[in-house]
Amino acid sequence: MQLKTLCELQGHRGRVWSCAWNPQADLLASAGEDKNIRLWTKGDGDNWKCSYVLSDGHTRTIRSVSWSPCGKYLASASFDGTVSIWNKKSGDWECTVQLEGHENEVKCAAFSKSGLFLATCSRDKSVWLWDVDNEDEEYMCASVMHSHTQDVKRIAWHPSEDILASASYDNNIKMYREDDDEWISTATLGSHTNTVWALAWAPQGDRLASCSEDCTVRIWKSFPPGNNEGIPTQGKDPAWKCESTISGIHPRSVYDIDWGTQNNLILTAGGDDAIRIFSEGEEGWVCDHTEYSAHSMDVNCVKWNPRDADVFVSCSDDAIIKIWRIER
C-alpha cells in the first residue's frame, strides 16, 4: 500500500484544525486559526478550488466544522464560545443561526445522523444537546450534560442511532442517549491514561475507536443485554469493553481518528507529523502503512471520503490541507 498526494490546498493562515466532506463528497469544508471557513469544490481531474471563504461567523479560532446529514447545513465550533450554523441562501453561504451558552471555548459541534439533534462540547466540561428545526431555523437546548470533570475535546454520533459519545481531558469517554425526553449518561469507558482526543464509530455502530495523548488507539465493543458472552449489563443499555489496544506504533500523541464506512480501515493522525492506516486481521489490528512527514507539522484531522473508499483528506498546523489516494 502506498499513498499518493492528489492535491494540496493552501489559503488558510495558521493552523488548520478541522476539515469535513459534505455527504455528496463534492464540497470540502476547512477551518482553523485564521477564524475563516473555506469551502472547496472539485474542479477538473483531482484539482480542488476554494469557492467560498466564510469570514464573518467567529471572532476566534474555529476548532471544528461538521455537515448535517442532508448536506445543506454546516456547523462550526469556535474558541469564541459560540457555534454558527451556515446555510446556502440566494447563492451565498450565510450564518443563519448562532448558538450561545457555553462558558468557554467550544471544541466540537456535530449533527446526529437523524438530523434531529446537534451536540456541542466545550472546555467548560459540558456537553449540550440541541433540538434541531431547520425549517424554522430554530435550535433549542434540550439538555446540558456535566458528566466529565475536565475539558471535553470531541463528540461523535452513532452511525444510525441517536446515541452520542464524548471524549475528554479527564481520560474518559461517556455515552449518552435520550430517555423520555431527557438525555442521560449511560456508560463510562475508561482505560486511557491521558487525554482522549478523538472518537470514531465502526460502520455497524457496535464498536468505537478512540485515540489519546497516551499514544494508543483503543477499540471498544458494545455487549447488549442478553449477550452470548455473559457480560452483565444494566437495564436496556449495553456494556462497553476495550477489546483491543494498539500501542507501540505511535511515538507521540494521536490527535485524530476516522473509521472508513466503506473500507473498514482506520486512519490516525498525530503529533509525529505522520498518517497511519490500520486494517483488522485474524491477529487483530495491523498498521498497513505509515506516511512519515505527511505534513511538516502536527496533523490535526483526517477524514475518509464518504463516496470513494480510497480517498481521504488531512489538515495540519502547517496551514496545508492535503487530499490523498491509496494506491495498492
Side-chain angles (χ1 to χ4, degrees):
M1 180 186 291
Q2 298 294 322
L3 293 183
K4 178 184 178 182
T5 306
L6 297 181
C7 63
E8 293 189 6
L9 308 180
Q10 300 188 38
H12 280 290
R13 300 180 307 279
R15 295 179 178 92
V16 185
W17 282 111
S18 180
C19 45
W21 306 95
N22 72 340
Q24 295 75 32
D26 58 3
L27 196 58
L28 178 70
S30 62
E33 196 173 22
D34 60 8
K35 301 172 280 191
N36 292 336
I37 298 169
R38 288 179 173 263
L39 298 180
W40 310 82
T41 53
K42 197 171 190 299
D44 296 332
D46 292 317
N47 295 315
W48 289 71
K49 61 180 181 179
C50 183
S51 50
Y52 299 95
V53 179
L54 313 181
S55 57
D56 57 353
H58 295 288
T59 59
R60 291 185 63 193
T61 291
I62 302 173
R63 189 61 177 85
S64 84
V65 282
S66 176
W67 293 95
S68 65
C70 66
K72 295 180 180 179
Y73 306 95
L74 181 71
S76 56
S78 170
F79 284 6
D80 65 14
T82 70
V83 173
S84 293
I85 309 297
W86 303 83
N87 186 9
K88 191 174 184 182
K89 289 191 169 186
S90 304
D92 285 321
W93 286 86
E94 301 175 14
C95 177
T96 54
V97 178
Q98 193 158 54
L99 305 177
E100 299 178 345
H102 282 289
E103 298 174 1
N104 214 313
E105 300 168 357
V106 185
K107 297 298 180 69
C108 187
F111 288 95
S112 66
K113 296 302 185 288
S114 67
L116 298 175
F117 303 103
L118 178 81
T120 60
C121 67
S122 168
R123 188 178 176 183
D124 66 12
K125 309 175 189 177
S126 70
V127 174
W128 289 46
L129 284 306
W130 307 79
D131 290 329
V132 174
D133 182 354
N134 281 317
E135 287 190 8
D136 293 329
E137 294 181 353
E138 288 186 354
Y139 287 68
M140 300 293 293
C141 179
S143 187
V144 179
M145 308 299 296
H146 294 283
S147 301
H148 288 287
T149 60
Q150 297 291 338
D151 182 356
V152 188
K153 299 292 188 183
R154 191 71 67 89
I155 43 181
W157 287 98
H158 187 281
S160 59
E161 301 176 38
D162 289 327
I163 296 171
L164 182 72
S166 62
S168 171
Y169 186 74
D170 66 11
N171 309 349
N172 290 325
I173 300 161
K174 299 282 185 177
M175 293 286 179
Y176 313 88
R177 65 169 173 82
E178 196 176 25
D179 183 45
D180 292 333
D181 294 329
E182 294 289 333
W183 283 88
I184 60 171
S185 178
T186 60
T188 300
L189 287 56
S191 69
H192 281 292
T193 58
N194 212 321
T195 302
V196 187
W197 282 108
L199 305 165
W201 289 88
Q204 298 79 17
D206 59 340
R207 292 189 291 174
L208 182 77
S210 59
C211 63
S212 169
E213 185 76 16
D214 67 14
C215 304
T216 70
V217 168
R218 295 177 192 259
I219 310 296
W220 308 82
K221 183 174 175 58
S222 67
F223 294 88
N227 61 83
N228 294 331
E229 293 80 0
I231 293 173
T233 59
Q234 291 187 342
K236 60 183 180 181
D237 296 305
W240 287 87
K241 301 292 181 183
C242 180
E243 71 166 9
S244 181
T245 299
I246 301 171
S247 60
I249 304 292
H250 301 88
R252 299 186 66 182
S253 307
V254 192
Y255 290 136
D256 199 24
I257 190 164
D258 196 28
W259 200 323
T261 58
Q262 302 176 81
N263 55 26
N264 206 40
L265 298 175
I266 285 180
L267 271 175
T268 64
D272 64 345
D273 312 341
I275 293 169
R276 290 175 174 82
I277 300 175
F278 294 85
S279 66
E280 189 176 20
E282 292 182 1
E283 302 299 320
W285 289 90
V286 177
C287 183
D288 289 337
H289 181 75
T290 299
E291 187 72 15
Y292 296 102
S293 303
H295 286 269
S296 61
M297 299 175 75
D298 291 1
V299 187
N300 296 318
C301 180
V302 281
K303 289 288 181 290
W304 288 110
N305 183 305
R307 294 297 180 94
D308 189 332
D310 290 333
V311 173
F312 67 90
V313 64
S314 64
C315 62
S316 166
D317 281 2
D318 64 11
I320 294 173
I321 301 155
K322 293 186 179 184
I323 298 177
W324 307 80
R325 178 179 290 279
I326 296 173
E327 294 192 332
R328 293 178 173 85

